[in-house]
Amino acid sequence: MNHRIVCGTANRALASEISSALGAGPVAGEVERFPDGELRPSVDGVRDDDVFIVQSTGPPVNDNLVELLLMIDACRRAGADRVTAVVPYFGYARQDRRSRGGQAIGARMAASAIAAAGADRLVVIDPHTAALEAMFAIPVEPLTAVPAIAHTLLPAITPDAVVVAPDLGAVKLAEHYASVLGLPVVIVRKTRVTGASVRAEELVGQVDGRPVIVVDDMISTGATIEAAVRLLLENGARPDIVVAATHGLFVGNAVERLAGLPLRRLIVTDSLAGIESLALPVEVTPIAPLLAAVIGRNTAMSPPPTPDDR
Amino acid sequence: MNHRIVCGTANRALASEISSALGAGPVAGEVERFPDGELRPSVDGVRDDDVFIVQSTGPPVNDNLVELLLMIDACRRAGADRVTAVVPYFGYARQDRRSRGGQAIGARMAASAIAAAGADRLVVIDPHTAALEAMFAIPVEPLTAVPAIAHTLLPAITPDAVVVAPDLGAVKLAEHYASVLGLPVVIVRKTRVTGASVRAEELVGQVDGRPVIVVDDMISTGATIEAAVRLLLENGARPDIVVAATHGLFVGNAVERLAGLPLRRLIVTDSLAGIESLALPVEVTPIAPLLAAVIGRNTAMSPPPTPDDR
Amino acid sequence: MNHRIVCGTANRALASEISSALGAGPVAGEVERFPDGELRPSVDGVRDDDVFIVQSTGPPVNDNLVELLLMIDACRRAGADRVTAVVPYFGYARQDRRSRGGQAIGARMAASAIAAAGADRLVVIDPHTAALEAMFAIPVEPLTAVPAIAHTLLPAITPDAVVVAPDLGAVKLAEHYASVLGLPVVIVRKTRVTGASVRAEELVGQVDGRPVIVVDDMISTGATIEAAVRLLLENGARPDIVVAATHGLFVGNAVERLAGLPLRRLIVTDSLAGIESLALPVEVTPIAPLLAAVIGRNTAMSPPPTPDDR
Amino acid sequence: MNHRIVCGTANRALASEISSALGAGPVAGEVERFPDGELRPSVDGVRDDDVFIVQSTGPPVNDNLVELLLMIDACRRAGADRVTAVVPYFGYARQDRRSRGGQAIGARMAASAIAAAGADRLVVIDPHTAALEAMFAIPVEPLTAVPAIAHTLLPAITPDAVVVAPDLGAVKLAEHYASVLGLPVVIVRKTRVTGASVRAEELVGQVDGRPVIVVDDMISTGATIEAAVRLLLENGARPDIVVAATHGLFVGNAVERLAGLPLRRLIVTDSLAGIESLALPVEVTPIAPLLAAVIGRNTAMSPPPTPDDR
Amino acid sequence: MNHRIVCGTANRALASEISSALGAGPVAGEVERFPDGELRPSVDGVRDDDVFIVQSTGPPVNDNLVELLLMIDACRRAGADRVTAVVPYFGYARQDRRSRGGQAIGARMAASAIAAAGADRLVVIDPHTAALEAMFAIPVEPLTAVPAIAHTLLPAITPDAVVVAPDLGAVKLAEHYASVLGLPVVIVRKTRVTGASVRAEELVGQVDGRPVIVVDDMISTGATIEAAVRLLLENGARPDIVVAATHGLFVGNAVERLAGLPLRRLIVTDSLAGIESLALPVEVTPIAPLLAAVIGRNTAMSPPPTPDDR
Amino acid sequence: MNHRIVCGTANRALASEISSALGAGPVAGEVERFPDGELRPSVDGVRDDDVFIVQSTGPPVNDNLVELLLMIDACRRAGADRVTAVVPYFGYARQDRRSRGGQAIGARMAASAIAAAGADRLVVIDPHTAALEAMFAIPVEPLTAVPAIAHTLLPAITPDAVVVAPDLGAVKLAEHYASVLGLPVVIVRKTRVTGASVRAEELVGQVDGRPVIVVDDMISTGATIEAAVRLLLENGARPDIVVAATHGLFVGNAVERLAGLPLRRLIVTDSLAGIESLALPVEVTPIAPLLAAVIGRNTAMSPPPTPDDR
């Protein structure tokens, strides 16, 4: 059973790199776009192959999601033996619960649609919710870019540095970075002032005079990062700040926001295309080696090691 | 069990009209749009209701389709007793088969995703493919706007008029119009010139000196309509032409194309929003009465009568 | 994984030819028939094999369909690795939509039952409805016998011949023949006489003095073919007529009907057994080579190339 | 929610009686049969109704089964609120296990197809296998005709009579009769002669000089009944024999076989049509009252009481 | 459609209280336990009812889970119109992800089994993972006991009190308490000491001289609570401590552990039976009113309001 | 695709023997048990393997069943290519029907849960109900230990011995033993005394002075065996009795019961662990060879040959 890399329009360069790394032949898959916006992908020569469709569902998220569903459908109908959706950035992952009545759960909607289209397996990188795999009946292989990114940070790390989680949701990720880098974790949390509904941000841990590495799974509008950086500076952090995230969406006025901060380095992966054309000096950690290793079965199918809850 | 009309962003006015006609209370449903393009709809107060989500999946088709999936998810999780997706214009219906190997079947992809999201029933109007209902395990109620549109044509019809199908795919629809209007059908077909791969359009039936009514299920870029009208004029049709279609997408340069034709009337329904703001004099036949009647159970759940194939 | 050809009672000779062509060993499968009409098929030695069950669902259609379901069940329970239903003639394909309220959609019923029984894939030849594959979630490989039949016609074709579609539903098939043979297409259509409900047949294209090749996907009672031939003769076609169809059902008084027509050649495939014992001089184009090639993976899994609709 | 009785061709009279008993209006459902044997049922006016499709799947079993599948499909697509398949005689029930490798399990095939077609519930009478309901995920209501038949036997019963199970599979049913009639059970069993593969029938219990009532769930070819009766007579049973069974298939040469036996009474229900036209004096116990009571919800949804196994 | 309360062995008293509150008649459901440990529940008279099965899946968790599955199966087969599993304490919820490769995801296993058994809806109270509902395709109604418990705390609250989250996983719950009580939140977190793998607990927020209210979703072995209380005391918290949790499992040596702490009050709900017989002074907040209100449809089907993540 | 043997806690020794026999490497699978009774299994290195999970669901049945479900979930998520549940003793098999209204069908509940967890195939040995496989959509391979046990009996068999079925449910099994051993079958049946509800046990066949071999599929509390043995002795059987069964549960006071009987030999297989530590002299027939042969594909996937019913 041959490996075959297939891609839609979201990550063509990444797909080519993976395919080269695996010696898996040219990447299959073209997508026609009609004047009314309907997409029609087609793939050739995947019959009886072990197919990996590389497609992040970042912005434009709905176009990319539907294109992924169509690619899966096309591969299955073309006789692929097994279809793995490789979705480095999994959109809608933030909607993993209803925060009030009447809402949809976008992550489950996406999971149900992907499964209904006929995917056999899913590979994701640092999804926003760790419970993503529990929403799927098909096997999900959650990977992490933390070791790869941390590796690029290591040479310039000084022992007084701290890893900062810009909100409670990022604490586990920050602990993973801290474990690789041998540093402590500082947390930004929103807190209530007694007897009032006013919320203020509070820093848990010492940062005065220290270099800080703010980490998150993704940078969307940059607002969370900006608030954290400003709070860190107010609390005496050294104005020599590193920001690292797996996924760089840079939507809204993220570029302006981040350009206004005293960042020494800003690092993301190429899970989403188009980083190099941003008006912002972003370093890119490539994920093709990680994905090629997994697809080539050199690593075990397993989630990143995280401390157990109990 | 109460009827409840819910809508997304695609057809708010239509949903309100349906709800008013039924006395079904205010329309439920709001949709938040995040900076990264993700949608989060919410509905209130639909618990144990018989919910009808009104949402055409016209352009932007992928946004509207995903929004529909999220609306269905939201209604089900909010405890709706039954969820009917009312999709007057059903996008991706043209992809009802693979025209060559390796393609996706978009209509089935959409059908599978809608079913996976949890819809119990579907209502559509003049879908591009009659086999659409066969792609669903859930009941599909295909309605037709032909009688309503034909009713607006009737007063001005003269006995020498003909109904024109601009391609073979429109013949059944044209016959339905012809049956209501008491007129003959003329067909435009593409034909092969012997021994060569050149294709030319040919008119089947007489149009010289006659008023013509060109009908189709949808107007997309207007190219098919334009070609038909030009052929009709070349063949002597009276330059007093009526064009009628159920769905008006008007994408690409459809407005310019149609503005350049000697049309007396151009008629579509309000299955897709925004017709009134086009730079084109389009008459709109409202479909709210048709949908309200079906939802209110005043009509039987059945497809439009069509002659049997055998 | 070994190929294994399995068959029921409908196409034993065809199954043997396919198996011989593939060197796939003796055909497996026996069917016991009890006095009450219940069937009990059994297969031996298919464990871990890649099984192909050859069974057309022509008359007696319900017996053959249920036998197919039982064969699939037997193969799955016997541990087959993959079960492909090879159904050269797919019964109930004409019921791909409801033509009025309250009807069943037979094609979808058959599709659902075949999938529920546990088939992994389906292979069909020239199904009556192109949307058949969209009714299945499992991959469907629609093949066509047109090139094979056209090949037998070629030697005797003269340049003035025309291909005739006996109704609108046969136009796509006729265009496929025409493309292979390099001939134009003439269409028979039913048309309405203005202001009345009387329908008459009309010929679209010139046939006077020409040899005609009437093509269709199937010959059932022969009524459509007979009506077309009589209309062609009335319009001056040379009384030297060839009729070609993929599937020869010859039910009702088809034999009498066709025997009364001035046919030079009558050609069908052996998708349905029993052709050779008809009291009618029918030429048979064998489909075993086509099926063996597909099963042996020498050809891509793809539908016949057809012009796109847009 | 209205009750609505729908029927195919297998049990029209029974369906009418049930509908009358319930005051449920005229029975819906017509079935067109095409020359090629394909069936196309249609139903009218069942939208939002609680539909009961009455259709035994006796001979011709495959036609009746497929017709049932099509009826279910038609009712669902027509908008029925709930579809209950009332299958008094459930064909293929004897195939509830594989007796050797490679066989199909017909009962499960039928169950899967009925569920896939969209039935919500099933009602059966004295199915051959008690495990039938365990093959369905949908609720199954197994009813029994034993009390009704026993009631017609009671007036003429003498205290020295015995109930006879003609094979081990009929023992539970015989015990049910015996319990209602207050009589002992005698069993016919096949037994092995030591050291040889010869099998002989053996009577377990005393019958000499006694009137016997041979009971079974069904009479198919009558061979089992004939063998039991001959063994009973050889063992001295009074030649004044009653035979009672729920389902009368009378296939093969059952009529001749039974006509040659000294039977005083032969009783079956009208679960299968056509009993009255047999050349055999058969008494018919009507089951319409039983089914009407269940459909009308006058009785609990439960299987017949049987002694627990443990 | 009548409400009907059904219960297994886990929460008989609770089920009775709910049924009384609703006037829903006697609680249905008995469970036979065989010598080999197999369970056989039965329910009577639920046909066409709207059934609510009350069964927490606390210890013995596997017995209670399987009993729940059997109860669902019994209710569906008995003809219940709709089956809602009311599982106040949902076992296996902590396994909502794999913390290392090769593990099972217990929460999803339980969700899949409950759905496969045929439940139509699920009601839970303060499940350990907020993503639980996203693992289900069926609607899940997550309720919270926080307002009810907070209400019992309110009279004795002084303005200098603080709510304590004993680990990061409890922060959201603590914020809910804090919002109702108008108090700030203090967090216990495990932190890494730089350059070493030693982890220490750290207090985020001020507690010296203040009364503290430690809250969590559940008390299992009491180890988390004990560690938090000891840390609070070391940091100067007033030795007048309140502990509140929704679910009281009290397994392992929880009773001894908690008995050794200077607790003023220890509060849980009766989501799990047997609290009153513990050798520990535990106050019980009843949840029957909450569940009765939801079942009686007096409240909307919605999750507890929580601040959105973005 | 490598074979990989995985096991839970129920049958570790058996799993090791199978793995050794196959040369399939060390057995994978560990199970953590939390203080609240929740289980968390994990497996390593099964990615792309053909995995066989060996786990009988004997007492404690619910723990073992849930552990099996978790093991299946773990193997699937770890990327196993195919997961076969090898369940030598299948608990809940006795609940294959409802014996009165309102009951669950435990066998189907277990089947549905196992399929929902993601098993691809099932292997069982002498399940209590032959219809078990019909409850599964996935292939089930029912094996039998009868030949293996009979082989150990053969040397000491005398020609005057008889095989005894202790109730009607054991007759088919007894006939299988009898066929291998060349002996006749005697049956114990419960019978009704005329006109009363008193039931007595009756012996069908001659046993006076003969050695008897009482066989059954399982020994649970031993009550059935004890009753049969006492009846045999009362009827003159030689007090030199052999008891053989596939599965030895020995629950309740089975050990005391059987210790009080004059048994010469008591034979079961090691389908359930712990036989060797019973205070009872039980001979164990190993089933590892049987299972290893099937897993190694040396035998066909088929049920034990049994005489057909018709």
Side-chain angles (χ1 to χ4, degrees), chain D residues 187-226:
Chain D
I187 302 174
V188 177
R189 72 176 278 241
K190 290 193 177 56
T191 187
R192 286 173 49 78
V193 179
T194 314
S197 66
V198 180
R199 292 168 67 96
E201 290 190 326
E202 186 189 47
L203 212 54
V204 180
Q206 297 300 317
V207 298
D208 50 288
R210 294 171 173 233
V212 293
I213 304 161
V214 184
V215 298
D216 212 343
D217 61 319
M218 60 193 278
I219 299 174
S220 180
T221 63
T224 300
I225 295 292
E226 183 187 30

Side-chain angles (χ1 to χ4, degrees), chain A residues 59 218-222 225 243-259 263 266-269 272-284, chain B residues 35-36:
Chain A
M218 60 192 278
I219 300 175
S220 181
T221 63
I225 296 291
V243 170
T246 304
H247 309 292
L249 282 80
F250 301 109
V251 294
N253 47 0
V255 170
E256 295 72 20
R257 249 194 201 117
L258 296 169
L263 306 186
L266 173 56
I267 307 175
V268 298
T269 74
L272 292 162
I275 305 292
E276 62 286 350
S277 61
L278 290 174
L280 201 66
V282 187
E283 296 173 55
V284 174
Chain B
D36 56 4

Side-chain angles (χ1 to χ4, degrees), chain E residues 148-157 177 181 213 215 242 244 265 267:
Chain E
I149 297 176
H151 187 77
T152 72
L153 296 172
L154 256 179
I157 290 291
Y177 273 99
L181 298 171
I213 304 161
V215 298
V242 174
R265 301 177 69 182
I267 307 176

Side-chain angles (χ1 to χ4, degrees), chain C residues 4-8 12 26-32 40-47 49 51-54 67-80 83, chain D residues 98 100-105, chain F residues 300-303:
Chain C
R4 192 72 194 278
I5 307 300
V6 167
C7 75
R12 292 210 169 269
V27 171
E30 295 185 3
V31 182
E32 192 175 3
R40 178 153 233 187
S42 62
V43 295
D44 282 320
V46 300
R47 204 192 190 202
D49 282 348
V51 174
F52 295 82
I53 304 172
V54 180
E67 190 179 298
L68 173 62
L69 300 177
L70 290 163
M71 298 292 297
I72 296 169
D73 185 78
C75 289
R76 269 197 329 104
R77 294 188 185 277
V83 176
Chain D
R98 296 184 294 164
R100 37 184 202 83
Q103 288 185 323
I105 300 181
Chain F
M301 188 149 190
S302 67

Side-chain angles (χ1 to χ4, degrees), chain F residues 17 36 58 75 106 145 149 193 200 240 254 262 299 304 307:
Chain F
E17 287 167 37
D36 56 4
C75 289
I149 297 176
V193 179
D240 161 38
T299 70

Side-chain angles (χ1 to χ4, degrees), chain F:
Chain F
M1 199 163 60
N2 296 318
H3 289 160
R4 192 71 193 279
I5 308 300
V6 167
C7 76
T9 55
N11 299 74
R12 293 211 168 268
L14 175 60
S16 291
E17 287 167 37
I18 296 169
S19 198
S20 297
L22 290 167
V27 172
E30 293 185 4
V31 182
E32 192 175 3
R33 188 184 185 96
F34 293 97
D36 56 4
E38 291 186 9
L39 307 172
R40 177 152 233 187
S42 62
V43 295
D44 283 320
V46 301
R47 203 192 192 203
D48 292 321
D49 282 348
D50 190 11
V51 174
F52 295 82
I53 304 172
V54 180
Q55 172 94 343
S56 278
T57 53
V61 58
N62 298 324
D63 286 330
N64 284 335
L65 175 58
V66 172
E67 190 179 297
L68 173 61
L69 300 178
L70 290 164
M71 299 291 297
I72 295 169
D73 185 78
C75 289
R76 269 198 329 104
R77 294 188 185 276
D81 189 80
R82 191 166 63 180
V83 176
T84 301
V86 179
V87 187
Y89 172 75
F90 192 97
Y92 281 107
R94 277 177 292 190
Q95 296 186 23
D96 67 341
R97 71 200 69 186
R98 297 184 293 165
S99 61
R100 40 186 198 80
Q103 288 185 324
I105 299 180
R108 175 65 196 239
M109 174 280 300
S112 296
I114 287 168
D120 296 301
R121 291 188 177 181
L122 178 72
V123 172
V124 293
I125 300 182
D126 290 328
H128 188 74
T129 175
L132 184 66
E133 56 177 330
M135 298 176 203
F136 281 90
I138 58 172
V140 175
E141 186 152 17
L143 306 174
T144 179
V146 169
I149 297 176
H151 187 78
T152 73
L153 295 173
L154 256 179
I157 289 291
T158 55
D160 60 339
V162 295
V163 174
V164 177
D167 58 20
L168 286 179
V171 170
K172 289 223 163 181
L173 195 84
E175 287 179 346
H176 193 186
Y177 273 98
S179 152
V180 176
L181 298 172
L183 298 177
V185 172
V186 165
I187 303 174
V188 177
R189 71 177 278 241
K190 292 194 177 56
T191 188
R192 288 173 48 78
V193 179
T194 314
S197 66
V198 180
R199 291 168 68 95
E201 291 189 326
E202 185 188 47
L203 213 54
V204 180
Q206 297 300 317
V207 297
D208 51 289
R210 294 169 173 234
V212 293
I213 304 162
V214 184
V215 299
D216 212 344
D217 61 318
M218 60 192 280
I219 300 175
S220 181
T221 62
T224 301
I225 297 291
E226 183 186 29
V229 169
R230 297 214 181 282
L231 184 68
L232 289 164
L233 294 173
E234 286 166 18
N235 281 268
R238 205 190 300 168
D240 161 38
I241 289 168
V242 174
V243 169
T246 304
H247 309 292
L249 282 82
F250 301 108
V251 294
N253 47 0
V255 170
E256 295 72 20
R257 250 195 200 119
L258 296 169
L261 298 177
L263 306 185
R264 182 158 56 85
R265 301 177 70 184
L266 173 57
I267 308 175
V268 298
T269 74
D270 50 356
S271 65
L272 293 162
I275 304 292
E276 63 285 349
S277 60
L278 290 175
L280 202 65
V282 187
E283 296 173 55
V284 174
T285 298
I287 54 170
L290 177 63
L291 293 170
V294 167
I295 292 170
R297 316 276 161 111
N298 298 318
T299 70
M301 188 149 190
S302 67
T306 59
D308 203 336
D309 277 4
R310 302 198 209 192

Side-chain angles (χ1 to χ4, degrees), chain A residues 37-309:
Chain A
E38 290 186 10
L39 306 171
R40 179 153 231 187
S42 62
V43 295
D44 282 321
V46 302
R47 204 193 191 200
D48 292 322
D49 282 347
D50 190 12
V51 173
F52 295 82
I53 303 173
V54 180
Q55 171 95 342
S56 277
T57 53
V61 57
N62 298 324
D63 286 330
N64 284 334
L65 175 57
V66 171
E67 190 179 296
L68 173 61
L69 300 177
L70 290 164
M71 299 292 296
I72 296 169
D73 185 77
C75 290
R76 268 197 330 104
R77 293 189 185 276
D81 189 80
R82 190 167 63 181
V83 177
T84 300
V86 178
V87 187
Y89 172 75
F90 192 98
Y92 281 107
R94 277 177 293 191
Q95 295 186 23
D96 68 338
R97 72 198 70 186
R98 296 183 295 164
S99 61
R100 38 186 200 79
Q103 288 184 324
I105 300 181
R108 176 64 197 240
M109 175 279 300
S112 296
I114 288 168
D120 295 302
R121 291 189 176 180
L122 178 72
V123 172
V124 293
I125 300 183
D126 290 329
H128 188 74
T129 175
L132 184 67
E133 57 178 328
M135 298 176 203
F136 280 90
I138 59 172
V140 176
E141 186 153 17
L143 305 174
T144 180
V146 169
I149 297 176
H151 187 78
T152 72
L153 295 174
L154 222 39
I157 290 291
T158 55
D160 59 340
V162 294
V163 174
V164 178
D167 59 20
L168 286 179
V171 170
K172 288 222 163 182
L173 194 84
E175 288 179 346
H176 192 187
Y177 273 98
S179 151
V180 177
L181 298 172
L183 299 176
V185 172
V186 166
I187 303 174
V188 178
R189 72 176 278 240
K190 291 193 176 59
T191 188
R192 287 173 49 79
V193 179
T194 313
S197 67
V198 180
R199 292 167 67 95
E201 290 190 326
E202 185 189 47
L203 212 54
V204 180
Q206 297 299 316
V207 298
D208 50 290
R210 294 169 172 236
V212 294
I213 304 161
V214 185
V215 299
D216 212 344
D217 61 319
M218 60 192 278
I219 300 175
S220 181
T221 63
T224 300
I225 296 291
E226 183 186 31
V229 169
R230 299 214 181 281
L231 184 68
L232 289 164
L233 293 173
E234 287 166 18
N235 281 268
R238 205 191 300 168
D240 160 39
I241 289 168
V242 174
V243 170
T246 304
H247 309 292
L249 282 80
F250 301 109
V251 294
N253 47 0
V255 170
E256 295 72 20
R257 249 194 201 117
L258 296 169
L261 298 177
L263 306 186
R264 182 158 57 83
R265 298 178 70 183
L266 173 56
I267 307 175
V268 298
T269 74
D270 51 357
S271 66
L272 292 162
I275 305 292
E276 62 286 350
S277 61
L278 290 174
L280 201 66
V282 187
E283 296 173 55
V284 174
T285 299
I287 55 171
L290 177 63
L291 292 170
V294 167
I295 292 170
R297 316 277 162 110
N298 297 319
T299 69
M301 189 149 190
S302 66
T306 59
D308 202 337
D309 277 3

